[in-house]
Amino acid sequence: MTIRERALQFGPGRGLLGVLSLPQKVDSGLPAIIVPNTGFEHRVGPHRLHVHLCRAFAEAGFAALRLDLSGMGDSDSGRVNDAVADQICAMDELDRLGIASQCVPIGLCSGGHDAHRFAKADTRVVAAAFLDHYFYATPKSRRISLRQKLSDPRRILDFVKRRLSPGAGAKAGGGIDAEWFEQPDQTSFQQDIDGFIQRQMPLFYLYSGEYQNIYNYPDQLLDVCPKLGDYDRYELHYFAESDHTFSQARMRLQLIDALLSWLHNEVVVRRQRIAGGGVPAPTAPQRKIAAAVTTAASVNQTRPSSWAASDAVALSGFTRKLGIDG
Amino acid sequence: MTAPRLEALHFGPDQRLFGLRSEPLMRPRQTAIVICQSWGPEGMRCYRGLHLLAQQLAERGFETLRFDYTGTGDSADVDGAPLALWLSDIAVAANELRELSGASRIALLGLRLGALLAAQAADAARADEVLLWDAPEDGRSWSAEMLTLDRQQYDRKNRTRPPALRLKLIEDELLGSPWPADLAGAIEQLRLPAGAPRTRHFYSADIRPDRDDALPDTAQWDDLSRLDSPWIPARSIATLCERLAVQLP
């Protein structure tokens, strides 16, 4: 499918700027995708991830906006650090243009934090995807981390070196740098998820293998938030072989496939079922553990036509896909 | 003070290039400036800084155009030899800015790899001035720095990963961006034309500490940890704008 792109300048003083990827024919009944900044990087995202994502979404029929929040990239609205207001403004603009009246924010790292807060604040958010945003260690993740450290001579050596020269060099590893955002405490996070579940929002969580000392097994998030496990409209992925910014092309492709498959199942198929008078997916939790992120069928349905078949990537055995309705 | 007007636009063949035009609020100067950014993570790190540079140049009466080379940033992906396309993009951007602004003179202002590209494209772009900020000696030395950062990046990421999950080098990618052999080879051939007319050099404080006219901020282009944060050299931007306001009509 051919897509087109246009820049949007809107908000206070037309100070917010985003680039909108559009399918050939806009279906305003579908939610638009909104992708806020990741870290300090402007709207194109790390390694152009947001560009690849938005163009793939547009090829699959969704309008997709990669957005510079105020003070980032090319946006200067006069507001400071009000990512929620900026995203609400973006949704207002998409509505005003007749492109969409609902949206799905998708955010990586600080973008996930911003997407989470936007989803809490605005009921026009009908689904959301969070990538490497909030990390909560568990007893099991601590055990795994310790085992990893003790079984790796290089890390033991690094540890000894650090102890012998205090202050020399930063501690290796760690989670997301706190300078970007402060994650909610675990209780608030669980309450937020309760709210999303009450709204019946499809949720997509993905963790990379970057922060092994904090998140290191596939269903760790379920140990943090057990209620999620009883919910039938979520997906949890663990891309252990990826890094935090999806720095290799194969990692980005894998992520795009997973998100397209999720959007297809949760938005397109569901809408078709409802339009056809069918009953939406069964609500009983159905746990699937797959060796691959996406099934061949869903890839074929959703992969943009411009992608060569050879782009298909053998996906990680570390990945689990949980709770997807059939 | 009201900020200069910023306009996003698509231009060039098949509208494939994405650009941002900063328009002065005052009567514009005779010289308009095309800003040529660097590549990959270096370009990302400098993006916000160049946004501020463009807006501050516009405050001093220079109309500017920043843009993404073909296949980078928000511009379209097309088949073809990347470097040849990028050089042609600079000439296209110069023509676009000439037309949009009505300026009688065009300057190219390039940062790092963008400086090498601007120097190379100056004739095709019919540039009256070439302004080079932290221009590397040549493409080979710039590529070598990027390659070193790439290896350091892998080493850093793998330090906390168990052996089974360690990242492996990808042949035709560099620091997370496509790095096909034809692009690598073409960049290695880039040279700064010796004694080129109409050319002015600007250096960050740590690049040429021996020069009295070095800009006040450091850049630390070879420091891996700097790739994780934006480069916004506010004092250097202000100094550069002051100098250009004096030097260019």
Side-chain angles (χ1 to χ4, degrees), chain A residues 244-298:
Chain A
H244 178 58
T245 58
F246 303 88
S247 67
Q248 298 179 346
R250 68 181 179 89
M251 298 171 184
R252 296 190 286 275
L253 195 61
Q254 198 175 358
L255 170 65
I256 291 168
D257 268 352
L259 282 166
L260 283 175
S261 172
W262 171 69
L263 280 172
H264 183 81
N265 288 332
E266 282 294 355
V267 178
V268 180
V269 171
R270 200 172 175 86
R271 190 170 72 151
Q272 284 166 355
R273 278 203 199 110
I274 293 168
V279 180
T283 53
Q286 183 182 358
R287 173 173 289 215
K288 288 181 185 175
I289 300 175
V293 178
T294 45
T295 63
S298 65

Side-chain angles (χ1 to χ4, degrees), chain A residues 5-7 9 14 17 19 40-48 51-52 55 66 68 71-76 148 152 154-155 158 172-174 179-180 209-210 212-213 238-245 247-252 318, chain B residues 5-10 18 20 37 41 43-48 51-52 55 66 68 71-77 153-155 157-170 173 175-178 226-231:
Chain A
E5 293 199 325
R6 61 183 279 201
Q9 292 178 265
R14 293 181 76 243
L17 191 145
V19 175
F40 74 86
E41 296 182 291
H42 71 289
R43 64 194 167 274
V44 308
H47 322 297
R48 288 182 95 206
V51 176
H52 297 306
R55 288 178 181 171
R66 46 189 185 274
D68 276 334
M72 309 282 295
D74 293 299
S75 286
D76 286 302
Q148 285 178 351
D152 187 343
R154 193 164 74 169
R155 293 182 70 182
D158 280 349
E179 86 178 80
W180 293 114
E210 178 97 7
Q212 283 293 309
N213 59 339
Y238 179 47
F239 282 13
E241 293 174 341
S242 279
D243 60 9
H244 178 58
T245 58
S247 67
Q248 298 179 346
R250 68 181 179 89
M251 298 171 184
R252 296 190 286 275
F318 289 90
Chain B
R5 200 171 98 87
L6 181 72
E7 183 198 0
L9 63 153
H10 285 91
F18 179 86
L20 291 140
Q37 59 181 324
M44 295 298 288
R45 184 188 163 206
C46 302
Y47 192 88
R48 180 70 180 172
H51 163 92
L52 297 172
Q55 292 292 87
R66 289 174 290 139
D68 294 328
T72 73
D74 287 306
S75 288
D77 300 303
Q153 176 96 293
Y154 271 100
D155 189 49
K157 282 179 183 283
N158 282 336
R159 187 157 295 176
T160 54
R161 297 174 81 94
L165 296 179
R166 293 214 171 116
L167 305 173
K168 293 178 182 64
L169 283 171
I170 302 285
E173 294 181 18
L175 289 164
S177 292
R226 303 282 164 174
L227 286 184
D228 296 335
S229 52
W231 184 60

Side-chain angles (χ1 to χ4, degrees), chain A residues 15-182:
Chain A
L16 294 173
L17 191 145
V19 175
L20 182 63
S21 301
L22 291 166
Q24 195 67 6
K25 190 169 179 296
V26 174
D27 177 351
S28 60
L30 284 177
I33 313 299
I34 295 180
V35 185
N37 301 96
T38 296
F40 74 86
E41 296 182 291
H42 71 289
R43 64 194 167 274
V44 308
H47 322 297
R48 288 182 95 206
L49 174 66
H50 301 179
V51 176
H52 297 306
L53 281 173
C54 288
R55 288 178 181 171
F57 295 145
E59 286 209 31
F62 295 89
L65 177 70
R66 46 189 185 274
L67 173 67
D68 276 334
L69 303 168
S70 189
M72 309 282 295
D74 293 299
S75 286
D76 286 302
S77 72
R79 278 200 294 253
V80 181
N81 293 334
D82 200 346
V84 173
D86 291 345
Q87 290 173 98
I88 287 173
C89 219
M91 184 61 246
D92 290 344
E93 181 69 4
L94 293 170
D95 199 2
R96 190 185 69 78
L97 294 169
I99 289 168
S101 55
Q102 296 177 320
C103 70
V104 180
I106 295 179
L108 166 63
C109 186
S110 66
H113 173 63
D114 293 331
H116 178 96
R117 291 184 302 144
F118 176 37
K120 271 174 67 179
D122 194 325
T123 54
R124 292 174 297 178
V125 173
V126 291
F130 310 102
L131 319 173
D132 261 5
H133 73 328
Y134 299 145
F135 293 83
Y136 303 95
T138 64
K140 183 176 173 181
S141 74
R142 289 192 187 96
R143 281 199 305 276
I144 292 173
S145 174
L146 182 63
R147 202 163 55 231
Q148 285 178 351
K149 285 172 185 163
L150 293 176
S151 63
D152 187 343
R154 193 164 74 169
R155 293 182 70 182
I156 294 174
L157 193 64
D158 280 349
F159 175 76
V160 172
K161 278 183 190 165
R162 279 201 306 275
R163 296 297 294 208
L164 290 176
S165 51
K171 186 183 172 195
I176 304 285
D177 196 323
E179 86 178 80
W180 293 114
F181 62 90
E182 195 172 326

Side-chain angles (χ1 to χ4, degrees), chain B residues 97-115:
Chain B
L97 182 58
R98 199 174 271 117
E99 201 166 297
L100 288 171
S101 65
S104 56
R105 304 176 83 254
I106 289 289
L108 303 180
L109 193 168
L111 176 65
R112 294 284 286 162
L113 180 67

